[in-house]
Amino acid sequence: MSAALAWTALVSALVTVFGASLYLGFMTVAQFFLRPVFLGLRLDELSTVFAVPITAITRFLGIMFLPLLVAPLVQMWLGRTHVWALAFAIATAAAYMFLALWYALSMRPVNQQLLTGAVTDESELRATMRQWVTRNWARFYAALVYWAAAVGYLLAGHELWEALP
């Protein structure tokens, strides 16, 4: 493998581990630290306590979408001759695609309800927040798989960049 391809393999692995670590960190904070806060929100707190972190995370992950999608595809191509590297690259891509699709199909509609003012009374807010928290568990577990697969690729794919100067 040429030095350029070896550098590409290493950079794609580091981008993926960085993205997976951030994603897992976001989901951990949301599920273990913000969940109790979200479940106890009042309507007058929704625009600050929920909207600010969710909008910031959504914006950041939107910016990172393409690099985090392309990196595992590059890893699959570069690791195609290394069984474990290929397996971890496929797992990484699958977990990331699940996260993106789950957000688009399941989380985004609930976020829109909460962020646009469609929720108008306290009992509806509590029910919607319980729905959000319940659905977010799937993202937490998928982010855990995504992170483990990204680290797995970093460990299994070491042969791809060992020759670097």
Side-chain angles (χ1 to χ4, degrees):
M1 177 178 286
S2 72
L5 287 178
W7 277 112
T8 302
L10 180 58
V11 168
S12 69
L14 294 175
V15 165
T16 303
V17 167
F18 172 75
S21 297
L22 280 176
Y23 217 116
L24 182 58
F26 291 153
M27 294 305 109
T28 300
V29 167
Q31 285 306 103
F32 294 104
F33 301 106
L34 293 178
R35 178 176 42 97
V37 174
F38 288 171
L39 290 174
L41 279 179
R42 294 185 320 263
L43 281 172
D44 62 328
E45 300 170 324
L46 190 59
S47 64
T48 54
V49 177
F50 180 80
V52 172
I54 296 305
T55 303
I57 290 169
T58 302
R59 188 175 300 126
F60 177 78
L61 291 175
I63 292 167
M64 293 298 296
F65 177 76
L66 198 54
L68 296 179
L69 177 65
V70 170
L73 301 177
V74 168
Q75 293 167 6
M76 286 192 293
W77 179 67
L78 292 174
R80 66 190 180 280
T81 60
H82 298 80
V83 175
W84 283 107
L86 180 60
F88 284 120
I90 290 169
T92 301
Y96 187 69
M97 287 309 300
F98 174 84
L99 285 164
L101 289 171
W102 185 259
Y103 171 75
L105 300 174
S106 184
M107 298 301 294
R108 189 175 194 165
V110 178
N111 283 356
Q112 293 297 26
Q113 260 186 308
L114 292 164
L115 297 174
T116 60
V119 176
T120 57
D121 67 58
E122 299 291 332
S123 63
E124 184 183 6
L125 175 60
R126 279 189 289 286
T128 306
M129 288 310 302
R130 275 194 303 276
Q131 182 183 35
W132 189 93
V133 166
T134 301
R135 290 180 183 191
N136 204 53
W137 278 112
R139 287 199 311 171
F140 171 75
Y141 290 117
L144 193 57
V145 169
Y146 178 41
W147 179 82
V151 171
Y153 179 84
L154 189 63
L155 296 174
H158 67 89
E159 296 171 359
L160 299 173
W161 52 80
E162 273 183 347
L164 287 173

Short mmCIF file of all heavy atoms in Angstrom, two decimals, residues 48-85:
data_model
loop_
_atom_site.label_atom_id
_atom_site.label_comp_id
_atom_site.label_asym_id
_atom_site.label_seq_id
_atom_site.Cartn_x
_atom_site.Cartn_y
_atom_site.Cartn_z
N THR A 48 -35.44 26.98 26.15
CA THR A 48 -34.04 27.12 26.57
C THR A 48 -33.43 25.79 26.97
O THR A 48 -32.38 25.41 26.47
CB THR A 48 -33.90 28.11 27.74
OG1 THR A 48 -34.77 27.73 28.79
CG2 THR A 48 -34.22 29.53 27.29
N VAL A 49 -34.07 25.07 27.85
CA VAL A 49 -33.47 23.85 28.41
C VAL A 49 -33.41 22.71 27.38
O VAL A 49 -32.45 21.95 27.36
CB VAL A 49 -34.24 23.41 29.68
CG1 VAL A 49 -33.69 22.11 30.23
CG2 VAL A 49 -34.18 24.50 30.73
N PHE A 50 -34.41 22.60 26.51
CA PHE A 50 -34.41 21.54 25.50
C PHE A 50 -33.88 22.06 24.17
O PHE A 50 -33.01 21.46 23.56
CB PHE A 50 -35.82 20.97 25.31
CG PHE A 50 -35.89 19.88 24.27
CD1 PHE A 50 -35.49 18.58 24.59
CD2 PHE A 50 -36.33 20.14 22.99
CE1 PHE A 50 -35.54 17.57 23.63
CE2 PHE A 50 -36.38 19.14 22.03
CZ PHE A 50 -35.98 17.86 22.36
N ALA A 51 -34.41 23.17 23.71
CA ALA A 51 -34.12 23.65 22.35
C ALA A 51 -32.65 23.99 22.15
O ALA A 51 -32.08 23.67 21.10
CB ALA A 51 -34.99 24.85 22.02
N VAL A 52 -32.01 24.61 23.10
CA VAL A 52 -30.63 25.06 22.92
C VAL A 52 -29.67 23.88 22.71
O VAL A 52 -28.97 23.83 21.70
CB VAL A 52 -30.18 25.98 24.08
CG1 VAL A 52 -28.69 26.28 23.99
CG2 VAL A 52 -30.99 27.27 24.06
N PRO A 53 -29.62 22.88 23.62
CA PRO A 53 -28.66 21.79 23.37
C PRO A 53 -29.04 20.93 22.17
O PRO A 53 -28.16 20.50 21.41
CB PRO A 53 -28.69 20.97 24.66
CG PRO A 53 -29.93 21.35 25.37
CD PRO A 53 -30.27 22.74 24.92
N ILE A 54 -30.33 20.68 21.96
CA ILE A 54 -30.74 19.81 20.85
C ILE A 54 -30.45 20.48 19.51
O ILE A 54 -29.97 19.85 18.58
CB ILE A 54 -32.24 19.44 20.99
CG1 ILE A 54 -32.46 18.62 22.26
CG2 ILE A 54 -32.74 18.70 19.75
CD1 ILE A 54 -31.59 17.37 22.39
N THR A 55 -30.71 21.77 19.42
CA THR A 55 -30.42 22.51 18.18
C THR A 55 -28.91 22.54 17.92
O THR A 55 -28.47 22.34 16.78
CB THR A 55 -31.00 23.93 18.25
OG1 THR A 55 -32.40 23.84 18.50
CG2 THR A 55 -30.77 24.70 16.97
N ALA A 56 -28.12 22.76 18.94
CA ALA A 56 -26.66 22.80 18.78
C ALA A 56 -26.12 21.44 18.34
O ALA A 56 -25.30 21.36 17.42
CB ALA A 56 -26.00 23.24 20.08
N ILE A 57 -26.57 20.38 18.97
CA ILE A 57 -26.10 19.04 18.60
C ILE A 57 -26.54 18.68 17.19
O ILE A 57 -25.76 18.15 16.39
CB ILE A 57 -26.59 17.99 19.63
CG1 ILE A 57 -25.88 18.18 20.95
CG2 ILE A 57 -26.39 16.57 19.10
CD1 ILE A 57 -26.48 17.39 22.10
N THR A 58 -27.79 19.00 16.86
CA THR A 58 -28.30 18.69 15.52
C THR A 58 -27.52 19.46 14.46
O THR A 58 -27.17 18.90 13.41
CB THR A 58 -29.80 19.04 15.44
OG1 THR A 58 -30.50 18.29 16.44
CG2 THR A 58 -30.37 18.72 14.08
N ARG A 59 -27.23 20.71 14.72
CA ARG A 59 -26.45 21.52 13.77
C ARG A 59 -25.05 20.93 13.60
O ARG A 59 -24.55 20.78 12.48
CB ARG A 59 -26.37 22.96 14.26
CG ARG A 59 -25.75 23.90 13.25
CD ARG A 59 -25.78 25.36 13.70
NE ARG A 59 -27.16 25.79 13.91
CZ ARG A 59 -27.60 26.34 15.04
NH1 ARG A 59 -26.79 26.54 16.06
NH2 ARG A 59 -28.85 26.73 15.17
N PHE A 60 -24.40 20.58 14.70
CA PHE A 60 -23.04 20.04 14.63
C PHE A 60 -23.03 18.71 13.87
O PHE A 60 -22.19 18.50 13.00
CB PHE A 60 -22.47 19.83 16.04
CG PHE A 60 -21.11 19.20 16.02
CD1 PHE A 60 -20.00 19.94 15.71
CD2 PHE A 60 -20.96 17.84 16.29
CE1 PHE A 60 -18.74 19.36 15.68
CE2 PHE A 60 -19.71 17.25 16.27
CZ PHE A 60 -18.60 18.01 15.96
N LEU A 61 -23.96 17.81 14.19
CA LEU A 61 -23.98 16.52 13.51
C LEU A 61 -24.37 16.68 12.04
O LEU A 61 -23.94 15.88 11.20
CB LEU A 61 -24.93 15.56 14.23
CG LEU A 61 -24.43 15.10 15.60
CD1 LEU A 61 -25.48 14.25 16.30
CD2 LEU A 61 -23.11 14.36 15.50
N GLY A 62 -25.12 17.70 11.71
CA GLY A 62 -25.42 17.98 10.31
C GLY A 62 -24.16 18.37 9.53
O GLY A 62 -23.96 17.95 8.40
N ILE A 63 -23.31 19.17 10.16
CA ILE A 63 -22.04 19.57 9.54
C ILE A 63 -21.13 18.36 9.37
O ILE A 63 -20.45 18.21 8.36
CB ILE A 63 -21.34 20.65 10.39
CG1 ILE A 63 -22.14 21.95 10.34
CG2 ILE A 63 -19.90 20.88 9.93
CD1 ILE A 63 -21.72 22.98 11.39
N MET A 64 -21.14 17.47 10.35
CA MET A 64 -20.25 16.31 10.35
C MET A 64 -20.80 15.13 9.55
O MET A 64 -20.11 14.12 9.39
CB MET A 64 -19.98 15.85 11.79
CG MET A 64 -19.18 16.83 12.61
SD MET A 64 -17.53 17.14 11.95
CE MET A 64 -16.79 15.53 12.10
N PHE A 65 -22.04 15.23 9.05
CA PHE A 65 -22.68 14.08 8.41
C PHE A 65 -21.84 13.48 7.30
O PHE A 65 -21.57 12.28 7.29
CB PHE A 65 -24.08 14.45 7.88
CG PHE A 65 -24.74 13.32 7.15
CD1 PHE A 65 -25.30 12.27 7.86
CD2 PHE A 65 -24.76 13.28 5.78
CE1 PHE A 65 -25.88 11.20 7.20
CE2 PHE A 65 -25.35 12.22 5.10
CZ PHE A 65 -25.91 11.18 5.82
N LEU A 66 -21.45 14.29 6.34
CA LEU A 66 -20.73 13.76 5.18
C LEU A 66 -19.37 13.15 5.54
O LEU A 66 -19.09 12.02 5.12
CB LEU A 66 -20.59 14.84 4.11
CG LEU A 66 -20.27 14.33 2.71
CD1 LEU A 66 -21.28 13.29 2.25
CD2 LEU A 66 -20.22 15.48 1.73
N PRO A 67 -18.51 13.83 6.32
CA PRO A 67 -17.25 13.17 6.69
C PRO A 67 -17.46 11.85 7.45
O PRO A 67 -16.73 10.89 7.23
CB PRO A 67 -16.54 14.20 7.57
CG PRO A 67 -17.17 15.50 7.25
CD PRO A 67 -18.57 15.21 6.81
N LEU A 68 -18.47 11.83 8.33
CA LEU A 68 -18.70 10.61 9.11
C LEU A 68 -19.35 9.52 8.28
O LEU A 68 -19.27 8.34 8.64
CB LEU A 68 -19.56 10.93 10.34
CG LEU A 68 -18.92 11.86 11.36
CD1 LEU A 68 -19.86 12.12 12.52
CD2 LEU A 68 -17.59 11.30 11.85
N LEU A 69 -19.95 9.87 7.16
CA LEU A 69 -20.50 8.87 6.24
C LEU A 69 -19.43 8.34 5.30
O LEU A 69 -19.35 7.13 5.05
CB LEU A 69 -21.65 9.48 5.44
CG LEU A 69 -22.29 8.59 4.38
CD1 LEU A 69 -22.99 7.40 5.06
CD2 LEU A 69 -23.28 9.38 3.55
N VAL A 70 -18.59 9.23 4.82
CA VAL A 70 -17.57 8.85 3.83
C VAL A 70 -16.44 8.03 4.47
O VAL A 70 -15.95 7.07 3.86
CB VAL A 70 -17.01 10.10 3.11
CG1 VAL A 70 -15.80 9.76 2.26
CG2 VAL A 70 -18.10 10.73 2.26
N ALA A 71 -16.04 8.38 5.68
CA ALA A 71 -14.89 7.70 6.32
C ALA A 71 -15.06 6.18 6.39
O ALA A 71 -14.14 5.45 6.01
CB ALA A 71 -14.62 8.30 7.70
N PRO A 72 -16.20 5.63 6.85
CA PRO A 72 -16.32 4.17 6.88
C PRO A 72 -16.36 3.55 5.47
O PRO A 72 -15.91 2.41 5.29
CB PRO A 72 -17.64 3.89 7.60
CG PRO A 72 -18.07 5.17 8.20
CD PRO A 72 -17.33 6.26 7.53
N LEU A 73 -16.84 4.30 4.49
CA LEU A 73 -16.84 3.79 3.11
C LEU A 73 -15.41 3.68 2.59
O LEU A 73 -15.04 2.69 1.93
CB LEU A 73 -17.69 4.68 2.20
CG LEU A 73 -19.15 4.83 2.61
CD1 LEU A 73 -19.87 5.79 1.67
CD2 LEU A 73 -19.86 3.48 2.66
N VAL A 74 -14.59 4.67 2.92
CA VAL A 74 -13.17 4.63 2.58
C VAL A 74 -12.51 3.45 3.29
O VAL A 74 -11.71 2.71 2.70
CB VAL A 74 -12.47 5.96 2.95
CG1 VAL A 74 -10.96 5.85 2.87
CG2 VAL A 74 -12.99 7.08 2.06
N GLN A 75 -12.86 3.25 4.56
CA GLN A 75 -12.29 2.14 5.33
C GLN A 75 -12.67 0.79 4.72
O GLN A 75 -11.84 -0.12 4.69
CB GLN A 75 -12.78 2.22 6.78
CG GLN A 75 -12.24 3.40 7.52
CD GLN A 75 -12.96 3.63 8.82
OE1 GLN A 75 -13.80 2.85 9.24
NE2 GLN A 75 -12.63 4.73 9.48
N MET A 76 -13.90 0.67 4.25
CA MET A 76 -14.30 -0.60 3.62
C MET A 76 -13.47 -0.86 2.38
O MET A 76 -13.03 -1.98 2.14
CB MET A 76 -15.80 -0.60 3.27
CG MET A 76 -16.68 -0.74 4.48
SD MET A 76 -18.41 -1.07 4.12
CE MET A 76 -18.94 0.42 3.36
N TRP A 77 -13.25 0.18 1.59
CA TRP A 77 -12.47 0.01 0.36
C TRP A 77 -11.01 -0.31 0.68
O TRP A 77 -10.45 -1.26 0.13
CB TRP A 77 -12.57 1.26 -0.50
CG TRP A 77 -11.78 1.16 -1.77
CD1 TRP A 77 -12.03 0.33 -2.82
CD2 TRP A 77 -10.60 1.87 -2.08
NE1 TRP A 77 -11.08 0.50 -3.78
CE2 TRP A 77 -10.18 1.45 -3.36
CE3 TRP A 77 -9.86 2.84 -1.42
CZ2 TRP A 77 -9.05 1.96 -3.98
CZ3 TRP A 77 -8.74 3.35 -2.05
CH2 TRP A 77 -8.35 2.91 -3.31
N LEU A 78 -10.42 0.43 1.60
CA LEU A 78 -9.00 0.21 1.93
C LEU A 78 -8.78 -1.07 2.73
O LEU A 78 -7.71 -1.69 2.64
CB LEU A 78 -8.44 1.40 2.69
CG LEU A 78 -8.32 2.70 1.88
CD1 LEU A 78 -7.90 3.84 2.78
CD2 LEU A 78 -7.36 2.53 0.72
N GLY A 79 -9.76 -1.48 3.51
CA GLY A 79 -9.61 -2.66 4.34
C GLY A 79 -10.16 -3.94 3.72
O GLY A 79 -10.26 -4.96 4.40
N ARG A 80 -10.52 -3.88 2.45
CA ARG A 80 -11.19 -5.03 1.82
C ARG A 80 -10.37 -6.32 1.81
O ARG A 80 -10.94 -7.39 1.72
CB ARG A 80 -11.63 -4.66 0.40
CG ARG A 80 -10.51 -4.40 -0.55
CD ARG A 80 -10.99 -3.80 -1.88
NE ARG A 80 -9.91 -3.56 -2.79
CZ ARG A 80 -9.10 -2.52 -2.76
NH1 ARG A 80 -9.26 -1.60 -1.83
NH2 ARG A 80 -8.13 -2.37 -3.64
N THR A 81 -9.06 -6.22 1.95
CA THR A 81 -8.23 -7.42 1.97
C THR A 81 -7.89 -7.88 3.39
O THR A 81 -7.20 -8.88 3.56
CB THR A 81 -6.92 -7.19 1.19
OG1 THR A 81 -6.21 -6.11 1.79
CG2 THR A 81 -7.21 -6.88 -0.28
N HIS A 82 -8.37 -7.15 4.39
CA HIS A 82 -8.14 -7.49 5.79
C HIS A 82 -9.49 -7.81 6.42
O HIS A 82 -10.31 -6.91 6.61
CB HIS A 82 -7.46 -6.34 6.53
CG HIS A 82 -6.12 -5.99 6.00
ND1 HIS A 82 -5.95 -5.21 4.87
CD2 HIS A 82 -4.87 -6.30 6.43
CE1 HIS A 82 -4.67 -5.07 4.63
NE2 HIS A 82 -3.99 -5.71 5.56
N VAL A 83 -9.72 -9.06 6.75
CA VAL A 83 -11.04 -9.52 7.18
C VAL A 83 -11.60 -8.71 8.34
O VAL A 83 -12.74 -8.23 8.29
CB VAL A 83 -10.99 -11.03 7.53
CG1 VAL A 83 -12.31 -11.50 8.09
CG2 VAL A 83 -10.60 -11.84 6.31
N TRP A 84 -10.81 -8.55 9.40
CA TRP A 84 -11.33 -7.86 10.58
C TRP A 84 -11.52 -6.38 10.34
O TRP A 84 -12.49 -5.77 10.80
CB TRP A 84 -10.45 -8.12 11.80
CG TRP A 84 -10.68 -9.48 12.35
CD1 TRP A 84 -9.84 -10.56 12.26
CD2 TRP A 84 -11.86 -9.93 13.02
NE1 TRP A 84 -10.42 -11.65 12.85
CE2 TRP A 84 -11.67 -11.30 13.33
CE3 TRP A 84 -13.05 -9.34 13.40
CZ2 TRP A 84 -12.61 -12.06 13.98
CZ3 TRP A 84 -14.00 -10.10 14.06
CH2 TRP A 84 -13.78 -11.44 14.34
N ALA A 85 -10.59 -5.78 9.62
CA ALA A 85 -10.74 -4.36 9.29
C ALA A 85 -12.00 -4.14 8.47
O ALA A 85 -12.78 -3.21 8.72
CB ALA A 85 -9.51 -3.85 8.54
#
